[in-house]
Amino acid sequence: MRYDKYEITSMVYDAVNSHVDRRAWADAIEGDFRKYCKSPPQLVLDLGCGTGTLTLLLAERGYDMTGVDSSPEMLSLARENEARMCPDGGVLWLLQDMSDFELYGTVDAVISTCDAMNYLITDADIKRCLSLVHNYLIPDGIFIFDVASRGKFRRNYGGRDLIFEGDGYFCGWRSAFSERTGIARFDLTYFIEHEGGWVRFDETQRQRCRSVRSIKRLLSETGFDLLGISRGYDADGGNFDIHDEDSPDVDRIRFAARVHKTETSGNRG
C-alpha cells in the first residue's frame, strides 16, 4: 500500500483543526471584502484550500468559489465536505500547486488561509505565487492571506512535541525551528487503523517564517499595494502593531492587499 504526501495528513486534518472557528474567519474575510473591495466580489479563489471548509462556508454565502490545492487527498475530502455542506455543488476544485497554478479566467478576490503561504519556502516560490495571483486578479482585485507569526514559530515549533489522537488515528508531532533560516521542520508519525490493525506512516513538512517587513517588500515587488494588517481573525483582535509578530498571544497575521495593473488580462471565468 503506497500513500502520497499529505494523504495521511488529510485523514486527520479536520480533526486536528477542529478548534478553529472557520465561520469567524469567513466573517473576517467578508469584512475585508466590504472594507477594501471597490465592488462586491463574485468570483473568489481559495489558494491552498485544504479540505475546503472555509471555501464551502463562503460558497454558502453566495460567492462563486474555486479551490486550489496540491493534495489529491485533501481535495477528495473537500468534495466529501461539499456533498455534506453544499449538496447542490458548484465549487470548482483544481489540483494544482500554489506556486504553479492556472485558472480559466480572472477572479475578483483571492484568499489563502491557515498558514498556507508559510509552506512556500524560498523567495522564488512565494514570488511565483504572488505573480500568479497578480495575473489572475482583476484590476483592483483583493488578495487576503495569513501567515503564522514569528511568535507562533518560536512558541509552537521550537522543539515542541505533541500528540493528537482520535477515532481511528494517532499522530506524534515533533518540531524544530531555526532562528537563522526561519525554517521550521515537522516530523510526523501516524498510526491509522486499517483492516483490523494499525499501519504506521511517517512524513516531514517544512514552513518558513517571514517578517512583516519582508512580506511588505515581496508584495511591493510583485505589484500589490498593502491595504491593512490584522491580528489573525478574532473580531476583538485590535489593530496590528509591528511588535505583534513576536507577541506570545498572536498566532496568525492577516494581510489585505490590492493588485495594481494598468490593463485587464485574462477572461472572466
Side-chain angles (χ1 to χ4, degrees), residues 148-201:
S149 68
R150 185 184 298 134
K152 179 179 180 180
F153 269 76
R154 288 171 173 164
R155 182 174 63 257
N156 290 2
Y157 305 154
R160 189 178 183 190
D161 298 338
L162 297 172
I163 297 294
F164 301 102
E165 59 181 319
D167 186 20
Y169 74 88
F170 178 94
C171 173
W173 185 86
R174 171 164 289 180
S175 63
F177 172 56
S178 168
E179 288 276 0
R180 181 180 63 82
T181 65
I183 293 175
R185 170 179 168 142
F186 314 110
D187 294 311
L188 300 100
T189 296
Y190 298 93
F191 292 90
I192 307 295
E193 192 171 13
H194 182 72
E195 295 180 352
W198 291 82
V199 183
R200 171 175 171 165
F201 301 93

Side-chain angles (χ1 to χ4, degrees), residues 207-234:
Q207 288 189 19
R208 181 176 174 186
C209 173
R210 288 183 172 86
S211 68
V212 170
R213 187 186 304 275
S214 69
I215 292 172
K216 288 181 176 179
R217 173 182 57 80
L218 289 163
L219 286 169
S220 177
E221 290 174 354
T222 50
F224 289 89
D225 295 322
L226 181 64
L227 300 175
I229 310 177
S230 305
R231 293 163 54 99
Y233 295 91
D234 294 336

Side-chain angles (χ1 to χ4, degrees), residues 4-202:
D4 294 326
K5 185 179 182 182
Y6 295 121
E7 182 163 4
I8 305 305
T9 307
S10 68
M11 295 181 182
V12 301
Y13 179 86
D14 282 337
V16 169
N17 289 285
S18 61
H19 66 285
V20 174
D21 186 350
R22 298 295 171 87
R23 292 190 182 277
W25 290 22
D27 291 342
I29 288 169
E30 282 202 297
D32 282 348
F33 287 166
R34 290 190 294 269
K35 183 176 182 179
Y36 297 120
C37 290
K38 295 186 176 181
S39 60
Q42 298 178 8
L43 303 179
V44 180
L45 168 65
D46 188 354
L47 196 56
C49 64
T51 59
T53 303
L54 183 59
T55 322
L56 293 165
L57 287 172
L58 291 171
E60 287 180 338
R61 301 182 184 200
Y63 298 98
D64 188 344
M65 299 298 299
T66 297
V68 167
D69 203 277
S70 61
S71 165
E73 294 75 30
M74 290 285 191
L75 291 182
S76 177
L77 285 179
R79 292 186 182 94
E80 292 180 15
N81 288 334
E82 181 177 22
R84 175 176 53 83
M85 295 174 62
C86 299
D88 293 335
V91 176
L92 175 62
W93 306 106
L94 298 177
L95 178 63
Q96 300 188 92
D97 190 89
M98 290 179 61
S99 60
D100 186 22
F101 64 91
E102 183 176 359
L103 304 181
Y104 298 104
T106 55
V107 295
D108 304 315
V110 178
I111 65 171
S112 185
T113 64
C114 211
D115 310 343
M117 298 293 286
N118 290 104
Y119 284 96
L120 300 173
I121 300 300
T122 69
D123 281 359
D125 288 336
I126 196 168
K127 289 181 80 169
R128 279 196 300 270
C129 175
L130 291 171
S131 295
L132 286 168
V133 171
H134 184 283
N135 182 57
Y136 286 110
L137 276 171
I138 63 170
D140 294 324
I142 301 299
F143 183 30
I144 298 168
F145 65 95
D146 69 48
V147 297
S149 68
R150 185 184 298 134
K152 179 179 180 180
F153 269 76
R154 288 171 173 164
R155 182 174 63 257
N156 290 2
Y157 305 154
R160 189 178 183 190
D161 298 338
L162 297 172
I163 297 294
F164 301 102
E165 59 181 319
D167 186 20
Y169 74 88
F170 178 94
C171 173
W173 185 86
R174 171 164 289 180
S175 63
F177 172 56
S178 168
E179 288 276 0
R180 181 180 63 82
T181 65
I183 293 175
R185 170 179 168 142
F186 314 110
D187 294 311
L188 300 100
T189 296
Y190 298 93
F191 292 90
I192 307 295
E193 192 171 13
H194 182 72
E195 295 180 352
W198 291 82
V199 183
R200 171 175 171 165
F201 301 93
D202 299 280

